[in-house]
């Protein structure tokens, strides 16, 4: 069993998922506002703009501590994969992280655990930190399957994956019923799921990897609920959609507890 808590050893990560929003000028303006906000030194910030704005946002973030992230990556380097993006292309624009297995990819575009696993492997091969998103639907929660779904998505997504260190990989627990709905998991529900995930990781990898690995919560995080979510010992950060699209709310989220 991992020790509960230990947040002091894990740098909080506040990640903005801009989804399919923002043209290039809007993306540059939002990224500039975030770079200008003084970010406390004890935390990491990542922005995942749409592909069309990656290069422009990368230029805005250059020289700052804010990391560039992408919203997906292909498991192949190049070739006939219409609509996909190569890990080399993400490296080219300066991406450091990549969201994988987001519930919108799984549920709207039919991504399977097997595809997500291939994407995780490719990300690591190319030095990108995968943010593996897992989470149950409302039906799955109400029928008592939350933990079996989380276990399946985690074990399949990480099949044959050996992160070298705890910070090579990030997991995001995002209950599907909380994404974009304004309905946030209670702090008890979030902590329970995060502890369960860390316990699974402790069984899959060396204990120190599980202790070091960051587990983000995602699902209607906003400036009002971020402090209480972040007070939970196994909640190491937030993956934020809607509230990351406005500079003031995301800057407040970045400044949780300060
Ligand atoms: C997300 O896109 O991962 C997300 C959690 O969205 P929202 O914050 O809008 O619920």
């Amino acid at each position: 069993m991992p020790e509960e808590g230990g947040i002091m050893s894990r740098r909080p990560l506040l990640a903005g998922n801009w989804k399919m929003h923002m043209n290039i000028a809007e993306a540059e303006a939002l990224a500039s506002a975030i770079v200008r906000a003084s970010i406390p030194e004890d935390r990491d910030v990542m922005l995942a703009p749409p592909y069309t704005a990656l290069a422009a946002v990368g230029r805005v973030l250059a020289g700052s501590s804010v990391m560039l992230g992408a919203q997906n990556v292909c498991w192949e380097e190049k070739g006939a994969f219409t609509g996909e993006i190569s890990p080399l292309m993400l490296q080219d624009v300066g991406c450091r992280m990549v969201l994988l297995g987001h519930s919108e990819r799984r549920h709207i575009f039919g991504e399977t655990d097997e595809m997500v696993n291939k994407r995780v492997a490719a990300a690591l091969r190319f030095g990108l930190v995968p943010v593996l998103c897992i989470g149950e639907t409302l039906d799955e929660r109400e029928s008592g399957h939350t933990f079996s779904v989380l276990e399946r998505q985690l074990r399949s997504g990480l099949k044959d994956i050996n992160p070298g260190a705890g910070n090579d990989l990030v997991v995001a627990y995002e209950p599907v019923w909380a994404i974009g709905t304004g309905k946030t998991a209670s702090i008890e529900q979030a902590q329970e799921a995060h502890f369960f995930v860390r316990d699974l990781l402790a069984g899959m990898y060396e204990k120190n990897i599980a202790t070091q690995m960051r587990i983000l919560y995602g699902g209607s995080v906003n400036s009002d609920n971020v402090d209480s979510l972040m007070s939970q010992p196994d909640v190491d950060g937030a993956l934020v959609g809607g509230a990351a699209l406005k500079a003031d709310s995301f800057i407040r989220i970045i400044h949780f507890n300060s």
Side-chain angles (χ1 to χ4, degrees):
M1 291 280 277
E3 284 159 36
E4 196 159 347
I7 192 164
M8 296 309 286
S9 59
R10 297 187 290 269
R11 265 174 86 78
L13 169 62
L14 296 311
N17 173 16
W18 294 359
K19 310 194 187 193
M20 200 170 71
H21 296 286
M22 304 272 163
N23 62 27
I24 293 173
E26 290 164 341
E28 285 174 327
L30 180 54
S32 307
I34 289 158
V35 166
R36 280 196 309 271
S38 55
I39 298 173
E41 277 179 16
D42 62 353
R43 54 200 70 181
D44 291 332
V45 175
M46 182 271 267
L47 304 178
Y51 298 138
T52 49
L54 275 175
V57 171
R59 283 189 288 274
V60 174
L61 303 186
S64 82
S65 65
V66 181
M67 292 180 283
L68 185 66
Q71 297 177 21
N72 213 346
V73 71
C74 186
W75 51 86
E76 297 288 346
E77 282 178 43
K78 62 179 170 181
F81 300 98
T82 303
E84 288 286 328
I85 191 151
S86 156
L88 290 173
M89 294 168 182
L90 297 186
Q91 277 184 338
D92 202 24
V93 289
C95 278
R96 312 246 312 263
M97 294 192 154
V98 58
L99 304 180
L100 295 174
H102 190 279
S103 75
E104 287 148 21
R105 298 301 320 165
R106 294 178 190 267
H107 296 290
I108 305 176
F109 298 102
E111 288 201 11
T112 62
D113 285 325
E114 192 193 3
M115 290 158 83
V116 173
N117 175 244
K118 291 202 291 188
R119 295 184 194 280
V120 171
L124 285 171
R125 218 165 43 241
F126 288 89
L128 297 161
V129 174
V131 180
L132 171 63
C133 305
I134 59 175
E136 81 288 358
T137 63
L138 188 58
D139 276 359
E140 288 163 342
R141 176 163 281 268
E142 287 179 347
S143 58
H145 292 117
T146 297
F147 297 106
S148 58
V149 169
L150 296 183
E151 179 161 4
R152 192 203 72 231
Q153 292 181 342
L154 192 77
R155 287 194 189 280
S156 321
L158 296 180
K159 185 168 172 279
D160 300 327
I161 300 290
N162 284 306
N167 57 7
D168 283 356
L169 203 137
V170 174
V171 175
Y173 168 59
E174 298 207 298
V176 180
W177 48 271
I179 298 180
T181 57
K183 206 172 161 190
T184 317
S186 68
I187 54 175
E188 292 81 13
Q189 286 170 324
Q191 170 58 23
E192 184 186 34
H194 284 227
F195 184 71
F196 175 78
V197 169
R198 198 176 309 283
D199 192 29
L200 282 176
L201 291 168
M204 292 163 66
Y205 301 114
E206 284 172 23
K207 187 182 163 207
N208 66 326
I209 291 189
T211 307
Q212 288 162 13
M213 202 174 284
R214 290 178 289 189
I215 305 174
L216 312 184
Y217 169 78
S220 297
V221 174
N222 59 40
S223 42
D224 294 328
N225 58 28
V226 65
D227 293 328
S228 57
L229 286 161
M230 289 303 295
S231 72
Q232 296 305 294
D234 285 287
V235 176
D236 308 317
L239 178 52
V240 187
L245 294 174
K246 291 235 156 47
D248 54 355
S249 57
F250 193 59
I251 290 169
R252 169 65 187 86
I253 288 169
I254 292 171
H255 287 90
F256 76 92
N257 281 352
S258 63

